[in-house]
Amino acid sequence: MFSRESLEKNQIGVYAVALIVGGIVGLVTPRIGGFMEPLVSFAIAVLLFSMFCQIPFLKLRKAVSNGRFIGALLIVNFILIPLLVFLLIKIFPQPSPVLIGVCLVLLTPCIDYVIVFTQLGKGNEKLILATTPLLFVVQMIMLPIYLWLFIGAETSQIVRIGPFIEAFVYLIIVPLLLALAVQLLAKKRAYGIKTLDLTAWLPVPLMALVLLLVIGSQIDRIVKDFNIIIAVIPIFALFHIISPVISRTISFVFRLEPSDGRALIFSAGTRNSLVVLPLALTLPGEMATIAASVIVTQTVIELIAELIYIKLVPNFIYRD
């Protein structure tokens, strides 16, 4: 019998089909892929709304007071991950436009769909949600500093706060308020309860839709610049292999609970690609195209890595 549990149990297969379909559509009909791109942010917002509906927000106060997790989160995302990125770009040197794309995407922790992947990977998504404002503020402060240290003073001037604020409001605040309204409605009206139950079915199909839209809208860009961006694939692959090891080690040092440790792993391994992409597109001339292609490449590799994380993190890397 088809049930929500069976849908969640077979989610990896559903996501794999979505990736394949998205890739085929994007390659065969690039024009349709172009129509998909504006839908990505909206699909992520709806996905986050459906997931926020399942979170008991009264417990977020406890999450905010989890000092050990917050300390581990800041150390991993703003000290150890930047050190890892610095080592990777020294081992695999890149021309300036490529390097800008690599640094933009790898130095910014995700503030949106990381919450979904954390939940799917049996991590504490309430902690990730509660610390999203902190991640947002710190990365805005630190990103220009990292770019100045890693690339040069001129590059640090490209950071604009607009895309970050827009993403935070559109992808976090608005879905959060709507989810709170549904939860309050469920306490007073029967149709509110039905709406809440319906949203519990949505995360898996909506996640599949997001994957399809991202791959379908961006695969053509990767193919066109493949001879340039092939050199960054080892950087991104090694990043997604090493970052869970770093997070697991810090989780042990800080004596985090298993679900909190998993949340840390997903935060370190999930980057802010869909937010920094508009930044890359504001760069002058060909630099914008190359940097954007690099960021999109990271997104594709990251999505594949996340599907692997969902299985490996709770079952092998950080078991109960």
Side-chain angles (χ1 to χ4, degrees):
M1 182 180 176
F2 183 72
S3 64
R4 199 173 81 212
E5 289 73 20
S6 65
L7 182 63
E8 291 174 353
K9 185 178 179 180
N10 296 293
Q11 61 186 287
I12 299 299
V14 174
Y15 300 152
V17 170
L19 287 172
I20 293 169
V21 171
I24 293 172
V25 170
L27 288 173
V28 174
T29 53
R31 187 174 180 182
I32 294 179
F35 288 126
M36 289 180 175
E37 189 165 5
L39 300 175
V40 172
S41 294
F42 178 74
I44 291 176
V46 178
L47 168 63
L48 287 169
F49 161 74
S50 69
M51 199 215 62
F52 289 161
C53 284
Q54 315 310 313
I55 295 177
F57 287 101
L58 293 177
K59 295 183 179 179
L60 285 183
R61 185 182 301 175
K62 181 180 177 182
V64 174
S65 63
N66 191 330
R68 281 190 297 179
F69 177 81
I70 292 174
L73 186 76
L74 293 176
I75 288 171
V76 167
N77 275 306
F78 299 109
I79 296 177
L80 299 180
I81 290 298
L83 284 174
L84 171 62
V85 174
F86 182 76
L87 288 174
L88 289 173
I89 62 176
K90 291 301 178 184
I91 295 170
F92 301 97
Q94 304 294 328
S96 183
V98 175
L99 195 57
I100 290 173
V102 170
C103 289
L104 274 176
V105 71
L106 291 187
L107 293 171
T108 50
C110 185
I111 58 170
D112 40 64
Y113 62 59
V114 62
I115 304 167
V116 181
F117 282 121
T118 302
Q119 184 189 52
L120 295 174
K122 299 182 181 179
N124 190 338
E125 76 279 0
K126 294 184 288 294
L127 273 178
I128 294 295
L129 175 60
T131 53
T132 293
L134 179 64
L135 285 177
F136 167 72
V137 172
V138 177
Q139 70 181 268
M140 279 307 307
I141 295 171
M142 295 305 297
L143 182 58
I145 298 172
Y146 292 140
L147 292 175
W148 175 70
L149 288 171
F150 292 4
I151 307 176
E154 292 182 6
T155 310
S156 64
Q157 304 301 317
I158 70 171
V159 176
R160 295 184 299 111
I161 195 171
F164 286 87
I165 294 177
E166 183 180 337
F168 186 70
V169 172
Y170 182 60
L171 298 177
I172 300 293
I173 300 300
V174 173
L176 189 61
L177 292 176
L178 290 174
L180 278 170
V182 171
Q183 289 189 6
L184 291 172
L185 190 64
K187 292 182 177 181
K188 299 177 181 180
R189 299 285 188 271
Y191 62 83
I193 297 174
K194 290 181 179 179
T195 302
L196 204 59
D197 290 340
L198 175 62
T199 61
W201 284 81
L202 297 179
V204 173
L206 284 174
M207 188 71 239
L209 177 62
V210 168
L211 294 175
L212 189 152
L213 290 174
V214 170
I215 298 299
S217 62
Q218 305 299 335
I219 192 70
D220 186 57
R221 181 177 285 162
I222 294 174
V223 171
K224 285 180 179 178
D225 293 320
F226 190 73
N227 60 325
I228 297 174
I229 63 176
I230 191 171
V232 302
I233 291 177
I235 294 177
F236 296 143
L238 285 171
F239 176 87
H240 289 293
I241 292 170
I242 298 172
S243 67
V245 178
I246 293 173
S247 302
R248 184 64 181 88
T249 304
I250 296 300
S251 297
F252 175 78
V253 172
F254 278 76
R255 301 192 303 278
L256 299 183
E257 296 292 326
S259 64
D260 299 357
R262 292 179 202 128
L264 184 64
I265 290 171
F266 278 97
S267 178
T270 314
R271 305 286 91 188
N272 225 359
S273 53
L274 298 178
V275 176
V276 297
L277 184 59
L279 280 181
L281 292 172
T282 63
L283 294 169
E286 189 182 21
M287 186 179 289
T289 304
I290 295 173
S293 297
V294 169
I295 291 170
V296 169
T297 302
Q298 195 282 147
T299 305
V300 174
I301 294 173
E302 177 179 279
L303 291 175
I304 296 170
E306 296 288 350
L307 299 186
I308 297 171
Y309 286 175
I310 289 171
K311 287 294 184 182
L312 286 186
V313 171
N315 294 319
F316 298 98
I317 298 176
Y318 215 134
R319 293 183 292 182
D320 287 322

